[in-house]
Amino acid sequence: MEQRTRTRTGTAAAGTADRVRRGIRAGLAVGVAAVTLATVGGCAFGRPKINVPPPDWATASPSASYDPYNPTPSYTPGYSYSPSPTQETYDPDGRSDVRGSGCDFSSSLRQFTYTLSITNPSTTSSYSYDLRIDWMKDRPADGSSYGEHQRSVVVAPGATETYTAKYTLNQSSWQAFWYTCQITRATKSKM
């Protein structure tokens, strides 16, 4: 009986490939061991800590006067503007400055009354108003007057003066009559 023994024969290339496979296995084993060791040690893939202070704007507290929804301008112009005052126009006829109310007649006192309010529109000048009030015949309106009242009133700038004009009839008896109150004159002069 013949006995055969198998002996290992091969080329140099086969031996090299076998060594490469063993080297890869050993390299992988070392790599796995290193990763396992690093993970167990608590520093796997950790980021390095750098002690760099943050910039000033990152740590500054917001200003008490700053509103992010309504920011204030950082630029303030270095000049101021004041418009020149407009020159006031002067009209010697001051009837537009006078208002009348309460045109009345008291039969017991035999007296006409009319309340006047004089407003000086000027902001700088006082004016004197030379006033005349007439209680005119109304029916028929023939242009004649039952009586008149005259007075001068000084009004300060922007102020209003109020007074009641009066006129008393001399006659002791009369029939019913119609009348109106009229501001006949309000001449304005600067004081």
Side-chain angles (χ1 to χ4, degrees):
M1 186 168 201
E2 241 182 71
Q3 188 173 10
R4 295 186 181 187
T5 305
R6 207 180 264 188
T7 59
R8 184 170 191 166
T9 60
T11 63
T16 303
D18 192 30
R19 282 192 298 265
V20 168
R21 277 192 292 274
R22 276 185 274 157
I24 290 173
R25 283 187 201 127
L28 284 174
V30 169
V32 169
V35 169
T36 303
L37 182 63
T39 303
V40 171
C43 62
F45 309 110
R47 295 181 183 166
K49 294 183 179 179
I50 302 172
N51 291 326
V52 176
D56 291 341
W57 59 265
T59 58
S61 60
S63 171
S65 63
Y66 175 75
D67 179 1
Y69 299 105
N70 187 17
T72 56
S74 59
Y75 170 72
T76 303
Y79 63 89
S80 62
Y81 170 75
S82 58
S84 59
T86 57
Q87 186 174 2
E88 294 176 344
T89 57
Y90 167 69
D91 183 2
D93 185 359
R95 283 181 289 181
S96 62
D97 300 346
V98 183
R99 298 286 180 268
S101 63
C103 182
D104 198 11
F105 177 74
S106 169
S107 57
S108 61
L109 298 174
R110 299 176 297 152
Q111 190 175 71
F112 289 105
T113 55
Y114 194 40
T115 302
L116 302 176
S117 291
I118 307 105
T119 302
N120 181 355
S122 173
T123 58
T124 58
S125 301
S126 294
Y127 285 100
S128 174
Y129 291 83
D130 182 23
L131 302 166
R132 176 177 167 165
I133 294 85
D134 279 280
W135 288 269
M136 307 295 292
K137 289 183 181 178
D138 190 31
R139 294 181 190 175
D142 58 3
S144 60
S145 172
Y146 289 111
E148 68 178 51
H149 172 90
Q150 296 187 52
R151 182 174 175 181
S152 291
V153 178
V154 175
V155 186
T160 299
E161 295 290 333
T162 302
Y163 84 98
T164 301
K166 298 176 183 179
Y167 177 77
T168 303
L169 289 174
N170 290 331
Q171 63 196 62
S172 57
S173 63
W174 57 83
Q175 295 178 341
F177 61 93
W178 298 89
Y179 63 96
T180 60
C181 296
Q182 180 177 326
I183 301 168
T184 310
R185 183 183 68 238
T187 306
K188 182 165 71 170
S189 57
K190 189 179 288 189
M191 297 298 292

